[in-house]
Amino acid sequence: MPAASRRRRDTPPPRTGGSEIEVLRGFLDYLRASIAAKVDGAPEPQVRTPAVPSGTNLLGLLNHLTFVERATFLGEEVTGWQATFHAAPADSVADVVGRYRETVERANDVLDGCTDLGAPLPRPGRPAPSVRWALTHLIEETGRHAGHADILRELIDGTTGR
């Protein structure tokens, strides 16, 4: 049973510029920050303990999203997607959160050079989705897992809020 609920300040949706790319990037960054904050500081071993029959755990969700960001924006190939849902036993919470934030920075560096949402992401030698598709997919994927993370973190130690 989790400890008494702790409420973090709820962060409202972002204020963004008016262009489509500013709105998409603003919401993606908002979700990225939300899920990283949800995992940051979560206690061991509960952070990696499955809380549902599917085996989903809080640390694994963020580890998975790191691979999704790398595959989508950095063009890295992932051959075993199921394995990405589990952090290595030696990885601490700080390791996984730090790796996620570093990957987000690298992905944003790529996005900074993308001004045409209809153009493919820069991915030499391989077909690539449009920037618009990639941003929309990452908003959906990150938002979905951020919702899972909300529930898992509350089960772990009662922490709620974005």
Side-chain angles (χ1 to χ4, degrees):
M1 193 70 165
S5 281
R6 289 183 294 233
R7 182 118 178 105
R8 289 188 313 138
R9 188 172 87 65
D10 215 18
T11 306
R15 299 266 187 231
T16 66
S19 74
E20 184 179 5
I21 199 162
E22 289 171 315
V23 170
L24 291 171
R25 288 193 63 183
F27 272 87
L28 179 55
D29 283 339
Y30 166 72
L31 291 168
R32 287 164 159 169
S34 294
I35 195 162
K38 188 61 67 172
V39 176
D40 200 16
E44 290 278 6
Q46 297 93 330
V47 71
R48 64 180 75 239
T49 303
V52 293
S54 67
T56 302
N57 65 80
L58 188 57
L59 197 60
L61 285 176
L62 194 61
N63 192 66
H64 170 71
L65 283 173
T66 302
F67 281 91
V68 174
E69 291 266 354
R70 288 175 177 169
T72 304
F73 295 122
L74 306 177
E76 294 182 15
E77 194 166 338
V78 177
T79 57
W81 280 105
Q82 258 333 97
T84 68
F85 280 98
H86 300 281
D91 285 343
S92 69
V93 172
D95 293 335
V96 175
V97 171
R99 199 164 33 249
Y100 178 72
R101 288 182 171 145
E102 186 269 331
T103 298
V104 164
E105 282 183 37
R106 289 178 51 213
N108 279 339
D109 288 344
V110 170
L111 288 169
D112 288 345
C114 298
T115 56
D116 179 1
L117 286 170
L121 282 167
R123 192 173 295 169
R126 290 185 32 215
S130 72
V131 175
R132 179 181 289 107
W133 184 93
L135 286 167
T136 303
H137 172 61
L138 259 292
I139 289 167
E140 174 273 327
E141 181 89 3
T142 307
R144 178 175 182 231
H145 292 314
H148 298 145
D150 283 340
I151 293 166
L152 293 172
R153 183 65 189 258
E154 186 173 357
L155 289 171
I156 288 171
D157 65 3
T159 299
T160 63
R162 283 182 272 200

